[in-house]
Amino acid sequence: MTNTIETRTIEKSADAEILYGEIRENNRRGGWMRLYDAGKRHLSRRSEPEIEHETANEAETKAGGGPPWMLLSFLLMVIVPFLAALVYFVFIASDQYTAEARFAVRSMADDGSEEKLDAGVMNMQSATQDAFVVTSFIHSSEILKRLEGKVDYRAIFQNSDADFVARFDETDSTEAFLKYWVKHVSAYIDGPSGIVTLKVQTFTPGDSVKLAQAILDESEKLVNELTVRAREDMMASFRKEVERTDHLYQEALAKLKKFQQQFGLLSPEEQAKQKSVLMTGLLANKMEIESQLFVARQANKTDSPRYRQLVLAQQSLDQQIEKMGAQLTGDADASLASVITGFSAVETDRVVAEKLYEAARRNYDQAFAAAVRKALYLTVFVHPALPEEALYPKRLLSPVLIFLGFLVAWATLALAWASVEDHRL
């Protein structure tokens, strides 16, 4: 066998020298067609069985002489990671207990259905957008700030009894802990119903329940803060209007009181009515006395004492009527007509201020009722219960999934490498 290979090697060398000689000759002559003919004649000298046998020998040499790269890559990329994952999940990984709670973010609203008898009945409606706010809050660093001093969440996840892979490294940053937090505390929303499901995963059952309850408490506080803030923003303008109109009304009352104290009258109009009644009585008495005087003069009894009394009474009535008239319609500033005019202005200001205050107060009450209807409530209907069994880790399923993942990756790379080799040939 060795002699045969050496003989063929010598024949190949001789043939190559002949071919190179003809190529140099043809190059020297400058004829490319002659070069093609020379190559064709050279190849025709060799039989096809020899060429096939030689190709098979070369392929056999390549396959048998090199290392088994496919097998080595399969072992390194698939078997070794699978065995490592199997050892970790079966013998090393710590149990992790999950506490679950479910709640909904609801708001009060008027039932607008006309079919019901009571159109003002209050019912609860889902507030999906606010539920997204709560879930985002649970996954943010804000809840970590609020939990400080209430629950030592870092100690919970840095439990020395937990395995080195699962527990959190105390030297890592706050940002790293937030990523770790999102992996162990999850909150998601059921789209159609708007129900929020909270899951907390720690290394002990008690820690899971305690942390889940603390998260629910902080979430409820957040919802209450959102409600109060929305109500305050909504009621601020109405409250300012009520305060403004109340100030105007108080000023109007103060002016009215000052006016009454100045003139000693509670109601000038009533006073004017009373004086008018008195004026009418005086005029009636005057007319009666004048009638009696007329009769006395006709009877020539002007010298009688009765006549003189009637004259004196007439004079007294004239003075009283003149004085009463001056009080009612005199030109002085203190006349009752002027007092009534000033009182009417002050009273009009009071009435207008009172109406403005009543309208502002009514609008405020309506806005407050609307704000109450829009108030948010966090309703927990599934409270976190103490877990009895560790749901994580999946000691057999996880290694199998890891094996399948690395197997797919290895197969993809192997196919890509084979494709590259085929194109190279």
Side-chain angles (χ1 to χ4, degrees), residues 50-328:
E50 291 179 351
I51 296 174
E52 293 178 357
H53 183 69
E54 179 181 334
T55 305
N57 290 334
E58 291 177 357
E60 183 180 357
T61 302
K62 290 181 179 179
W69 294 110
M70 298 296 288
L71 180 59
L72 289 176
S73 62
F74 180 78
L75 291 174
L76 293 175
M77 293 185 62
V78 180
I79 300 301
V80 173
F82 168 70
L83 293 177
L86 187 64
V87 171
Y88 169 74
F89 283 102
V90 174
F91 300 103
I92 300 176
S94 302
D95 291 335
Q96 297 184 26
Y97 299 86
T98 302
E100 180 177 328
R102 295 185 181 182
F103 61 89
V105 181
R106 317 290 287 180
S107 65
M108 300 292 293
D110 284 337
D111 188 357
S113 113
E114 298 179 355
E115 297 179 356
K116 297 194 177 176
L117 296 176
D118 189 1
V121 175
M122 308 296 285
N123 68 337
M124 298 293 288
Q125 295 183 351
S126 174
T128 306
Q129 183 177 2
D130 298 289
F132 278 108
V133 173
V134 174
T135 55
S136 178
F137 167 74
I138 293 174
H139 293 153
S140 68
S141 59
E142 179 64 23
I143 193 171
L144 300 180
K145 296 178 182 178
R146 298 193 179 199
L147 288 175
E148 289 182 357
K150 300 176 182 178
V151 178
D152 194 357
Y153 52 85
R154 284 184 173 268
I156 291 176
F157 292 110
Q158 293 172 0
N159 193 338
S160 58
D161 295 333
D163 64 274
F164 63 95
V165 177
R167 67 170 177 261
F168 180 74
D169 188 0
E170 60 183 6
T171 60
D172 288 345
S173 62
T174 304
E175 290 76 11
F177 182 80
L178 182 60
K179 295 180 181 179
Y180 182 89
W181 172 272
V182 172
K183 293 179 181 178
H184 289 76
V185 177
S186 64
Y188 59 90
I189 302 173
D190 181 19
S193 63
I195 295 175
V196 181
T197 301
L198 171 66
K199 291 185 178 181
V200 178
Q201 182 178 324
T202 66
F203 302 109
T204 61
D207 288 341
S208 297
V209 174
K210 181 172 65 174
L211 186 58
Q213 188 60 49
I215 293 173
L216 289 177
D217 294 340
E218 294 302 324
S219 300
E220 186 174 3
K221 289 180 182 179
L222 174 69
V223 170
N224 294 335
E225 289 176 4
L226 293 176
T227 300
V228 173
R229 187 178 305 172
R231 183 171 64 239
E232 291 299 323
D233 293 342
M234 183 177 180
M235 301 299 298
S237 58
F238 294 99
R239 186 180 295 106
K240 289 181 180 179
E241 183 64 17
V242 170
E243 292 175 355
R244 186 185 70 85
T245 54
D246 179 67
H247 181 69
L248 292 176
Y249 184 55
Q250 295 299 329
E251 287 184 350
L253 289 176
K255 289 181 180 179
L256 178 62
K257 183 178 180 180
K258 182 179 180 181
F259 185 88
Q260 291 173 342
Q261 291 176 349
Q262 180 179 357
F263 293 97
L265 298 174
L266 293 177
S267 176
E269 294 179 353
E270 294 295 331
Q271 189 74 16
K273 289 180 181 180
Q274 294 177 5
K275 289 185 178 296
S276 297
V277 172
L278 292 175
M279 187 73 171
T280 302
L282 292 174
L283 290 174
N285 292 332
K286 180 181 178 182
M287 291 177 65
E288 183 180 357
I289 290 174
E290 287 179 349
S291 297
Q292 292 177 5
L293 288 174
F294 178 76
V295 172
R297 282 194 296 269
Q298 293 294 329
N300 294 321
K301 293 181 180 181
T302 57
D303 294 334
S304 64
R306 174 65 178 170
Y307 181 81
R308 289 195 295 270
Q309 291 177 356
L310 291 175
V311 171
L312 292 174
Q314 181 184 16
Q315 294 176 353
S316 176
L317 287 174
D318 289 338
Q319 293 177 357
Q320 291 179 6
I321 291 172
E322 183 179 1
K323 184 178 180 181
M324 188 73 66
Q327 291 178 355
L328 289 175

Side-chain angles (χ1 to χ4, degrees), residues 411-424:
T412 303
L413 293 176
L415 290 175
W417 178 257
S419 177
V420 171
E421 290 296 324
D422 289 343
H423 284 289
R424 184 181 300 175

